Amino acid sequence: MFENRTIRRLEMMLDAALSGDFQENDYDETKLSRLESKWKRFLAASMLSRENLNREKENVKSLVSDISHQTKTPMTNIRLYASLLGELIEAETGMQRQEEAAVMIGELVRQTEKLEFLIQALTKMSRLESNIVEVRPEQQPITPLLQDVVAEAAMKADGKNITIRNVYAGEAFACFDYKWTKEALGNVLDNAVKYSPPGSTVTLSVLEYEMYLAVSVCDEGRGIREEEIPKIFGRFYRAEEVSQEEGVGIGLYLTREILRKENGYVKVKSQPEKGSEFLLYLYRGTMS
């Protein structure tokens, strides 16, 4: 009888905690066993921890919003004034070291674009980690996603004389959030173009399995050493041999986190000087 009463009281406490209605003064400690008393203190501490977590989440949300808003105008102004200064230098006749000044203006614009990209990447990362932005997977065809990602990467690929081939002609469906999965796949394809030599080919294909749809991005680049593969999905990680290339080391981290929120995952097959293949596995079932 005593055990049944204790269990019922513990269940009541747990139900109240799960529903967010737990109040410590709902229970008379003088009538509870020692176990019930410890259980009560644990639930009270859990409630406080959840409140602190929610408060911290709101603080992060506010900070991310402020950073994004406060940096937008200065970045726009820097680009504008750099452009105006470049036009003045170009129009100036007889100016000493005119060509050198034009190069400096070009570098200023490039560094501004790099800073804008970094701020955008940090904002996306913070929103994902704090669940400010929710990934909402839904059943949809994979083909439009592949077409859009290839179209966005085309200009950069053309600039390096790299061919992007999408060899998938099927009509398979998977469960994914279009916007965020486009970000994930775009990051992988952008890296493939960035680290591939001019004149090479990047190939997109799709492998259909019972539970997953694997989108393959295969390049002919420098490849990745075996000991580096577990590290490349870490935040801000960049291998020593690519440290001179543009980038901040966030793209693959975002890719992994986005797929994880969609019940998917990413794998890599690579050998030095033999290219790399990234496989993005998208869940084919229905997310609960």
Side-chain angles (χ1 to χ4, degrees):
M1 177 69 69
F2 175 76
E3 290 181 356
N4 289 338
R5 181 180 66 84
T6 301
I7 291 174
R8 284 198 301 272
R9 296 295 291 275
L10 292 175
E11 287 179 340
M12 290 172 59
M13 289 182 179
L14 185 56
D15 288 340
L18 290 173
S19 64
D21 298 326
F22 177 77
Q23 298 290 334
E24 192 170 349
N25 57 11
D26 289 345
Y27 302 92
D28 185 355
E29 188 172 356
T30 61
K31 296 180 181 179
L32 296 177
S33 67
R34 185 179 306 171
L35 177 60
E36 289 176 308
S37 180
K38 291 181 179 179
W39 188 238
K40 182 180 68 175
R41 290 197 298 271
F42 169 75
L43 290 178
S46 297
M47 290 291 290
L48 179 61
S49 177
R50 184 165 66 176
E51 290 174 1
N52 290 337
L53 184 62
N54 289 336
R55 186 161 48 247
E56 183 177 346
K57 178 180 175 180
E58 288 301 314
N59 289 338
V60 171
K61 181 178 179 180
S62 177
L63 177 62
V64 169
S65 179
D66 285 346
I67 291 174
S68 179
H69 177 72
Q70 295 295 336
T71 57
K72 187 176 297 184
T73 299
M75 289 295 100
T76 301
N77 287 339
I78 291 173
R79 288 169 62 91
L80 173 62
Y81 290 130
S83 177
L84 293 174
L85 186 57
E87 292 176 3
L88 288 175
I89 292 174
E90 186 177 352
E92 188 71 27
T93 58
M95 177 182 176
Q96 293 184 352
R97 304 174 70 180
Q98 184 176 18
E99 185 175 341
E100 184 179 348
V103 171
M104 291 180 182
I105 293 297
E107 183 62 20
L108 176 61
V109 172
R110 192 178 71 85
Q111 292 298 327
T112 302
E113 291 173 348
K114 184 176 180 180
L115 183 57
E116 284 180 325
F117 174 80
L118 174 60
I119 293 171
Q120 291 172 6
L122 289 173
T123 300
K124 291 173 186 175
M125 182 181 71
S126 298
R127 286 175 174 168
L128 273 177
E129 290 182 341
S130 58
N131 293 319
I132 293 172
V133 174
E134 186 177 351
V135 176
R136 294 185 174 90
E138 59 182 48
Q139 282 288 333
Q140 54 191 309
I142 193 68
T143 297
L145 175 69
L146 300 181
Q147 292 172 342
D148 280 356
V149 170
V150 170
E152 289 195 358
M155 182 178 295
K156 186 172 183 178
D158 290 343
K160 290 186 65 177
N161 191 29
I162 290 174
T163 301
I164 301 178
R165 290 195 309 128
N166 175 18
V167 300
Y168 181 67
E171 299 178 352
F173 279 60
C175 188
F176 59 94
D177 181 301
Y178 193 91
K179 175 184 175 182
W180 283 104
T181 308
K182 182 180 175 183
E183 173 82 21
L185 181 57
N187 288 339
V188 174
L189 184 56
D190 182 75
N191 278 354
V193 172
K194 183 189 301 182
Y195 300 125
S196 293
S200 63
T201 299
V202 176
T203 304
L204 270 71
S205 59
V206 175
L207 306 173
E208 298 183 30
Y209 300 103
E210 182 178 355
M211 292 186 62
Y212 289 93
L213 205 66
V215 180
S216 167
V217 180
C218 192
D219 65 51
E220 301 171 353
R222 68 187 72 189
I224 307 168
R225 289 182 285 115
E226 184 177 357
E227 61 269 24
E228 296 287 341
I229 289 178
K231 305 174 185 177
I232 60 176
F233 295 101
R235 283 188 296 180
F236 306 111
Y237 180 80
R238 306 200 72 206
E240 184 177 348
E241 55 266 30
V242 299
S243 59
Q244 300 303 315
E245 298 281 355
E246 290 188 5
V248 292
I250 294 179
L252 291 180
Y253 171 79
L254 285 174
T255 294
R256 185 192 66 180
E257 290 301 298
I258 291 167
L259 294 179
R260 182 180 62 82
K261 289 178 178 290
E262 297 178 338
N263 201 25
Y265 60 99
V266 57
K267 292 177 64 176
V268 185
K269 300 176 182 178
S270 184
Q271 293 183 33
E273 308 306 325
K274 293 186 179 181
S276 303
E277 181 183 20
F278 282 77
L279 292 155
L280 285 69
Y281 287 81
L282 305 179
Y283 188 54
R284 302 190 75 176
T286 302
M287 299 287 286
S288 57

